[in-house]
Amino acid sequence: MSFTGKKFPNITVDAIDYLGDNLFINIFEEAAKKEKKVLLFWYPKDFTFVCPTELHAFQEALPEFEKRNTMVIGASCDTNEVHFAWLSTAKDNGGIEGVTYPILADTNRNLSRILGILEGEEKKSEEFGSVFEGSNVTFRATYLIDEEGKVFHESVNDMPLGRNVKEYLRLIDAYAHVQKFGEVCPANWEEGKEAMNATRDGVAAYLSTQPAMN
């Protein structure tokens, strides 16, 4: 089920911060009540391989997200205790020490199940009624949520594929441009480039300024 164009699920999830404080975070409320955009990114497991590179990449870009009035929140199905152990592990030992944004601990998988981002599925079993086949951890799903709690972007990468953090900054810039000016953003749009009106004349005028394709 896609949530793009819809309100993000109004559900509270356990979380932890880098100080070891246990939190309860409702993504929808974080956006709507604080009037901020939220970038929520899911990763499969703590203490794995591609995952720490992504958490550090989002941390490095945190000032850029903050400039854009955007909160960054990580998420997996690991427990708060495992999250904190990883947060306390040095970077040169595969850890994420230095990461300061909160991380959801969706251990009951309520939110990830609603979002439909778990790898695997329930199968019928004659002996046990049903069993889960698959890892039951999340794919690399990413959600961008606006100040009213509406999802304006979602994407899902398979396990081996790390994300490009700069693309999310570009998407936030594009959405902010739409919000401010009412224009739409064409392919490969970046901050400072020309946007266009969502009309026949608007697209014609925009295309007339673009270099010819061979």
Side-chain angles (χ1 to χ4, degrees):
M1 177 181 179
S2 173
F3 279 87
T4 300
K6 302 172 185 175
K7 298 293 186 182
F8 192 82
N10 189 346
I11 184 171
T12 300
V13 182
D14 289 342
I16 196 167
D17 64 15
Y18 71 103
L19 297 173
D21 294 328
N22 293 321
L23 311 171
F24 300 100
I25 293 180
N26 183 312
I27 298 295
F28 176 83
E29 291 183 352
E30 288 294 309
K33 289 186 176 181
K34 295 182 179 179
E35 297 184 340
K36 289 178 176 287
K37 292 182 176 69
V38 176
L39 182 148
L40 171 66
F41 73 98
W42 295 80
Y43 60 91
K45 295 179 183 179
D46 294 353
F47 290 100
T48 52
F49 316 109
V50 176
C51 297
T53 70
E54 292 192 308
L55 274 84
H56 285 299
F58 280 109
Q59 179 65 34
E60 289 170 10
L62 197 57
E64 292 300 319
F65 286 107
E66 291 173 345
K67 285 180 189 176
R68 292 160 172 82
N69 193 38
T70 301
M71 301 174 60
V72 173
I73 299 175
S76 80
C77 298
D78 296 281
T79 66
N80 275 347
E81 291 78 11
V82 176
H83 283 336
F84 190 60
W86 204 26
L87 284 162
S88 304
T89 301
K91 188 174 182 179
D92 61 8
N93 197 28
I96 57 168
E97 187 178 35
V99 166
T100 59
Y101 49 81
I103 304 175
L104 301 187
D106 188 33
T107 53
N108 57 19
R109 289 163 172 76
N110 283 341
L111 181 54
S112 50
R113 188 178 293 111
I114 291 168
L115 295 172
I117 56 174
L118 290 167
E119 193 279 321
E121 60 181 331
E122 291 275 351
K123 296 282 188 177
K124 290 184 179 179
S125 167
E126 292 184 5
E127 185 176 1
F128 302 110
S130 67
V131 294
F132 193 92
E133 288 189 2
S135 67
N136 208 21
V137 300
T138 68
F139 292 106
R140 299 186 192 282
T142 314
Y143 296 85
L144 294 176
I145 299 123
D146 72 12
E147 298 88 345
E148 296 180 350
K150 186 185 82 172
V151 177
F152 65 91
H153 168 84
E154 64 180 307
S155 59
V156 183
N157 289 11
D158 201 356
M159 309 291 189
L161 304 176
R163 283 161 279 215
N164 183 338
V165 173
K166 292 180 180 178
E167 172 63 3
Y168 302 109
L169 292 169
R170 187 192 75 83
L171 288 167
I172 292 167
D173 286 341
Y175 192 75
H177 185 95
V178 173
Q179 289 176 308
K180 184 175 182 178
F181 298 104
E183 295 179 314
V184 294
C185 297
N188 299 322
W189 184 91
E190 294 175 340
E191 183 66 41
K193 288 188 175 181
E194 183 182 0
M196 63 186 190
N197 292 318
T199 63
R200 180 182 291 274
D201 290 342
V203 68
Y206 174 80
L207 291 175
S208 70
T209 67
Q210 303 306 301
M213 300 291 289
N214 293 326

